[in-house]
Amino acid sequence: MTDSQPHALIIGAGAIGSFYGAILKRAGCTVSAVVRSEYEAIKANGFQFESPLGDISWSPDHLYKDGDTPDVVPDYVILATKVLPGSDRAALVKPWVGEGTRIVLIQNGLDIERELADAYPDNPIISCLAFVAVSRQGPGRIKHNAYGRLVMGRFPKGADAHCEALRDLFVAGGIDIKLADDVVRERWLKCVWNTPFNPLSVLANGADTLTMLDAPGGEKLVRELMDEVMATAAADGYPLPPQLPDSNIEGTRKMPAYKNSMALDYLNGRPIELDAILGNVVAIAQKHDVAVPRLETMLAALRMRA
Amino acid sequence: MTDSQPHALIIGAGAIGSFYGAILKRAGCTVSAVVRSEYEAIKANGFQFESPLGDISWSPDHLYKDGDTPDVVPDYVILATKVLPGSDRAALVKPWVGEGTRIVLIQNGLDIERELADAYPDNPIISCLAFVAVSRQGPGRIKHNAYGRLVMGRFPKGADAHCEALRDLFVAGGIDIKLADDVVRERWLKCVWNTPFNPLSVLANGADTLTMLDAPGGEKLVRELMDEVMATAAADGYPLPPQLPDSNIEGTRKMPAYKNSMALDYLNGRPIELDAILGNVVAIAQKHDVAVPRLETMLAALRMRA
């Protein structure tokens, strides 16, 4: 593996990927990156950050273009792309995965690990949920607005020494990590908010959280959508706290109105993670014969958009 | 009332209103119009039509602006505006309604007559459903593409001498009329198509009929939405033929893909008749405790749009 310091390679070094790359760099890791576009800007100037953490700008130790052949096998391959139909994530990481390489997913949604776990049964899959507000300002320029916490666990279960080692690196880099024995349950918990609010914001043409809740019938619909997600989770073996919809809505009402990441993707003409956030939940509901008419309505309507 | 020829006044002389005005003009009626905008163009050139019926262009016998005081009381006040929240239709017709004036609605949707019937309990309300393809080309310029048939009946029930007299005029002007003993039932029948397809096309950002049906889960959702409308109609006292969803979908598949009127309104930045087509159906379902989760999802999502 490595001699002195761990080597992490970020695939999909957008705002999220380059942020966690910055943290690992601060922890003393060798950090490389594979980028699809913006290669020249990043080669010249690295990743330029504005952040409440201070100066976390960094330059990759190795910068690769999509399609390059690796000259080292990293300890950690960190996949931080969006989860979109037609992106073959198993193929994307293939050149960089060697014996013992930990495959780290920092990605949204539910049931997004299986594809990698099936393709790399002998590599540890570390699944992470990011709670971070970052946004791209220009080529290689990222604004870190707030937060940074990761919830992290082995897929499908457990939080072993691989997770602990990576946790220690992120903590050394300055962010908070929660190790989760059951990361799939953590994904379900996050879906109770995301699966209703994110697609709904797109159907509502980019509406913010309070506009959605305050529309006639809005809060009622959000709550019913959350109940459908909860029922699906329970049928899939993940009973969640019954007060979660209430506390989610209450928490959302206490925050200023904001546009969620899927609303922003939609408004900026970028593809949305419809399957990762909604389609996979509906598929699990259908597998278990759970009635999710409202989730299905959102999904079909969004799939009708060309 | 009038001496020799019946006098009809069109309120909301857009594409639909001016088309039926043209028909009554051809039948020998005196036809006046109240317009909100485009007064100058219509004053100068009347309504200029392109139509498969031939030259049906016409100039109103009296042209009024919104807010003008009438100098005659018409036999028929024909209201052909869109049914939008905030438009007080009872107030709109008030200056023009005298004793015995028939109030004729050529408007879309369900449960749109009550407001007029309550305000004018002594005037006959004739409710019409238009099956016509017309579109505005410019100020006072209208293209009549096809069709023209009206389904017509007294609200809430019956097809009496008032309807027959108006029917005879429209037939003399060259279009087909179906007198309906139960015009509310006719509106429910039309809603089985419109209430699913119209709002869905807006959620799908203006998708055409076949794009909606062919999307994954699309036809299934359309059928389920139709079932919800059918169940609501039945609970409201209007059991409809059970094969209607099948025949509606089959019929839609046989036609070329097209964008419905609500999709076109949406794409052209015009307000949509959300309550007339969807909101009123949901309200009736809720009154009868009929579960309409898919219709409610569409309604709440559309109400979230600013």
Side-chain angles (χ1 to χ4, degrees), chain A residues 3 28 32 46 76 99 123 140 149 178 182-183 195 200 207 222 224 241 249 295:
Chain A
D3 32 348
S32 306
Y76 299 98
E99 195 185 323
N123 292 81
R149 185 159 176 265
K178 173 184 169 185
D182 191 345
V183 73
T195 302
L200 204 46
V222 168
E224 288 166 340
I249 288 172
L295 294 174

Side-chain angles (χ1 to χ4, degrees), chain A:
Chain A
M1 313 266 283
T2 58
D3 32 348
S4 53
Q5 50 196 15
H7 179 194
L9 175 87
I10 318 283
I11 300 183
I16 298 250
S18 63
F19 172 75
Y20 290 104
I23 300 300
L24 292 174
K25 193 73 199 163
R26 292 208 324 168
C29 297
T30 299
V31 187
S32 306
V34 186
V35 294
R36 189 172 296 227
S37 53
E38 309 189 348
Y39 178 88
E40 296 305 330
I42 296 160
K43 189 82 193 168
N45 305 310
F47 294 102
Q48 299 294 318
F49 271 85
E50 257 184 82
S51 168
L53 295 178
D55 184 11
I56 60 169
S57 299
W58 65 289
S59 288
D61 292 289
H62 306 261
L63 182 65
Y64 302 101
K65 278 186 257 202
D66 220 17
D68 277 358
T69 310
D71 37 28
V72 289
V73 170
D75 302 296
Y76 299 98
V77 161
I78 298 181
L79 185 59
T81 57
K82 285 210 285 185
V83 180
L84 297 174
S87 91
D88 182 341
R89 292 178 298 141
L92 201 60
V93 303
K94 192 166 199 306
W96 317 94
V97 173
E99 195 185 323
T101 305
R102 293 86 156 175
I103 300 173
V104 182
L105 308 181
I106 305 183
Q107 299 187 301
N108 278 327
L110 193 86
D111 204 22
I112 55 132
E113 301 95 342
R114 184 76 53 191
E115 177 184 343
L116 283 304
D118 287 350
Y120 304 100
D122 299 326
N123 292 81
I125 308 282
I126 301 179
S127 179
C128 302
L129 286 162
F131 295 80
V132 64
V134 286
S135 54
R136 182 187 167 282
Q137 306 289 304
R141 289 190 301 113
I142 295 104
K143 183 157 185 221
H144 171 221
N145 295 293
Y147 318 115
R149 185 159 176 265
L150 289 177
V151 173
M152 175 188 294
R154 276 289 295 272
F155 178 81
K157 274 214 176 259
D160 61 4
H162 294 297
C163 293
E164 288 166 4
L166 182 59
R167 187 248 338 250
D168 292 346
L169 292 172
F170 277 121
V171 169
I175 64 165
D176 182 34
I177 300 288
K178 173 184 169 185
L179 283 193
D181 272 329
D182 191 345
V183 73
V184 175
R185 182 168 191 277
E186 300 290 332
R187 289 194 175 269
W188 275 114
L189 288 168
K190 196 170 180 186
C191 276
V192 175
W193 198 98
N194 281 348
T195 302
F197 269 112
N198 287 19
L200 204 46
S201 69
V202 178
L203 287 175
N205 278 353
D208 64 43
T209 46
L210 297 186
T211 298
M212 288 191 269
L213 286 176
D214 288 339
E219 180 171 324
K220 176 171 175 282
L221 175 60
V222 168
R223 194 176 298 268
E224 288 166 340
L225 289 164
M226 287 181 174
D227 288 342
E228 291 186 1
V229 177
M230 300 270 292
T232 305
D236 204 43
Y238 299 93
L240 305 179
Q243 70 279 14
L244 192 53
D246 280 347
S247 61
N248 269 342
I249 288 172
E250 202 180 315
T252 305
R253 284 207 173 277
K254 280 185 187 153
M255 291 176 63
Y258 76 99
K259 293 181 193 288
N260 62 56
S261 61
M262 193 181 275
L264 293 174
D265 281 342
Y266 167 71
L267 290 171
N268 288 293
R270 298 187 293 253
I272 60 171
E273 295 181 295
L274 186 61
D275 285 327
I277 301 290
L278 175 58
N280 292 354
V281 173
V282 168
I284 292 171
Q286 289 168 345
K287 188 176 77 180
H288 296 300
D289 282 324
V290 176
V292 290
R294 297 166 187 85
L295 294 174
E296 285 174 343
T297 300
M298 292 203 302
L299 182 62
L302 287 169
R303 283 181 172 162
M304 289 174 184
R305 294 189 178 190

